[in-house]
């Protein structure tokens, strides 16, 4: 059987890793993007129902991974209508079209569906998002699971990996604090995070898709996160050690950041459901951040 993946958000940080992984494993990948088009990607506006239906009908996938989203909480807060269109409206349309074609969808969600007050969060814990981004991603989850019992949700934490610009990840952007050594920098030492390398998530998506096509019952909600816990300040110190950069200009801010979108405190996810399936992969933060950022160090 030919393995055909329809991948939304294929130009993004995670989408690029997923497309590469599946292509290397012999899958035919139809990657969609809106603005960052390349020879291996197709321009599809996910808010254009007719365009999505046409591309699905002509490609005839046997698996769909929905990575596309407005994933920056501050941008969601700044333009909630645009974010809702993509994170909820486009998701509903995609899963409904997929259901008509009897194709399973893996929806990429977020640890931000939780309030961060009582980790680790299990797959059956009741979500309680503290910002609009978490709320919209939760509604996308609900649309995905309500539309078809074939579908699955993968909740993941903050991601990092090879970036096209440092600001593409909330992790890699921290390098700017280190590189700007002429100015005192204050970095949050409050929220706890478990960053994951995009290659790890791509591997997990591949394993979930492969098991699905082999007849395994991969449906419902799954969690994955990195095995190391850091604050942003601790990530900066780790980067400083990896690249042997001075960091005396960096100080820790102990209180929650002011004037930004509210973030949950500790979104550690319980990964036992994937562990039981022997699905998972963890790249150490030191190794992952070195491979991701070595090209940015002069």
């Amino acid at each position: 059987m030919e393995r055909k993946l329809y991948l939304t958000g294929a130009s993004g940080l995670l989408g690029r890793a997923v497309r590469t992984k599946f292509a290397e494993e012999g899958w035919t990948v139809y990657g969609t993007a809106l603005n960052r088009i390349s020879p291996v990607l197709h321009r599809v506006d996910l808010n254009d129902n007719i365009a999505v239906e046409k591309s699905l009908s002509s490609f005839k996938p046997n698996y769909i991974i929905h990575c596309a989203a407005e994933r920056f909480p501050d941008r969601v807060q700044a333009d909630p209508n645009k974010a809702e269109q993509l994170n909820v409206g486009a998701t509903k349309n995609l899963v409904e079209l997929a259901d008509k074609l009897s194709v399973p969808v893996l929806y990429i969600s977020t640890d931000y569906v939780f309030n961060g007050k009582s980790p680790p969060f299990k797959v059956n814990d009741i979500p309680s998002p503290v910002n609009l981004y978490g709320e919209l991603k939760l509604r996308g989850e609900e649309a995905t699971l309500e539309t078809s019992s074939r579908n699955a949700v993968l909740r993941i934490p903050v991601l990092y990996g090879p970036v096209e610009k440092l600001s593409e990840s909330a992790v890699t952007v921290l390098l700017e604090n280190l590189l700007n050594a002429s100015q005192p920098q204050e970095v949050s030492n409050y929220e706890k995070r478990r960053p994951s390398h995009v290659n790890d998530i791509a591997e997990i998506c591949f394993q979930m898709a492969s098991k699905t096509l082999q007849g395994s019952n991969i449906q419902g909600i799954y969690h994955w996160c990195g095995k190391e816990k850091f604050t942003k300040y601790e990530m900066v110190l780790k980067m400083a050690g990896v690249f042997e950069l001075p960091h005396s200009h960096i100080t820790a801010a102990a209180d929650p950041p002011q004037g930004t979108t509210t973030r949950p405190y500790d979104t550690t996810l319980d990964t036992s459901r994937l562990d039981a399936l022997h699905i998972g992969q963890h790249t150490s933060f030191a190794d992952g951040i070195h491979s991701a950022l070595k090209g940015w160090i002069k």
Side-chain angles (χ1 to χ4, degrees):
M1 177 180 67
E2 184 181 8
R3 297 165 297 169
K4 301 176 71 175
L5 171 68
Y6 186 96
L7 172 66
T8 73
S11 65
L13 178 62
L14 177 58
R16 296 194 301 270
V18 171
R19 193 201 68 78
T20 298
K21 173 64 181 177
F22 277 73
E24 287 176 347
E25 296 290 347
W27 287 56
T28 302
V29 182
Y30 188 102
T32 78
L34 184 59
N35 298 315
R36 292 179 289 180
I37 301 301
S38 74
V40 296
L41 300 180
H42 302 264
R43 189 184 188 282
V44 178
D45 182 352
L46 296 180
N47 291 314
D48 183 341
N49 297 359
I50 294 174
V52 176
E53 182 173 21
K54 182 182 291 186
S55 61
L56 282 170
S57 298
S58 61
F59 181 63
K60 296 181 173 59
N62 41 29
Y63 201 77
I64 296 171
I65 299 179
H66 184 29
C67 289
E70 176 49 77
R71 59 186 178 85
F72 291 97
D74 293 336
R75 290 186 199 167
V76 171
Q77 214 69 41
D79 195 342
N81 291 334
K82 182 179 179 182
E84 183 175 11
Q85 271 189 325
L86 179 57
N87 292 6
V88 183
T91 299
K92 285 183 177 179
N93 178 59
L94 178 65
V95 296
E96 287 171 0
L97 290 171
D99 186 44
K100 291 178 183 177
L101 297 171
S102 300
V103 180
V105 177
L106 176 59
Y107 172 84
I108 303 300
S109 191
T110 173
D111 53 358
Y112 273 39
V113 300
F114 295 112
N115 59 23
K117 294 180 180 179
S118 55
F121 293 96
K122 297 179 173 60
V123 295
N124 56 356
D125 285 343
I126 298 174
S128 178
V130 298
N131 59 37
L132 184 60
Y133 167 66
E135 291 175 17
L136 295 181
K137 289 298 290 181
L138 178 59
R139 287 172 57 191
E141 286 187 13
E142 291 166 348
T144 300
L145 297 177
E146 288 169 1
T147 300
S148 173
S149 61
R150 300 182 194 90
N151 297 342
V153 166
L154 177 61
R155 293 174 178 154
I156 56 176
V158 62
L159 300 177
Y160 70 99
V163 289
E164 295 180 345
K165 54 185 179 180
L166 290 177
S167 60
E168 194 175 15
S169 161
V171 175
T172 57
V173 74
L174 296 172
L175 181 64
E176 293 179 350
N177 297 93
L178 276 176
L179 297 180
N180 190 9
S182 62
Q183 297 289 329
Q185 306 281 331
E186 192 175 60
V187 178
S188 174
N189 197 31
Y190 179 73
E191 303 103 323
K192 310 287 186 179
R193 294 292 178 264
R194 291 183 179 263
S196 287
H197 196 286
V198 289
N199 289 353
D200 294 342
I201 304 302
E203 173 65 28
I204 289 163
C205 290
F206 172 72
Q207 292 179 31
M208 293 177 74
S210 297
K211 285 183 179 291
T212 299
L213 266 57
Q214 291 163 7
S216 295
N217 188 23
I218 306 293
Q219 56 188 217
I221 298 171
Y222 298 84
H223 286 174
W224 188 259
C225 65
K227 299 184 182 299
E228 299 163 275
K229 185 186 291 188
F230 302 100
T231 64
K232 287 185 176 181
Y233 175 71
E234 290 166 342
M235 288 186 224
V236 169
L237 294 188
K238 196 76 171 177
M239 290 180 194
V242 167
F243 294 110
E244 299 180 345
L245 293 171
H247 57 86
S248 59
H249 62 293
I250 306 285
T251 56
D255 297 324
Q258 300 298 311
T260 62
T261 304
T262 301
R263 263 78 165 174
Y265 172 65
D266 182 347
T267 54
T268 297
L269 299 172
D270 180 300
T271 65
S272 57
R273 192 174 185 208
L274 283 176
D275 294 337
L277 295 169
H278 305 290
I279 292 177
Q281 178 173 292
H282 172 70
T283 300
S284 74
F285 188 73
D287 289 344
I289 208 65
H290 180 265
S291 66
L293 292 180
K294 60 186 178 183
W296 295 86
I297 307 297
K298 296 179 181 178

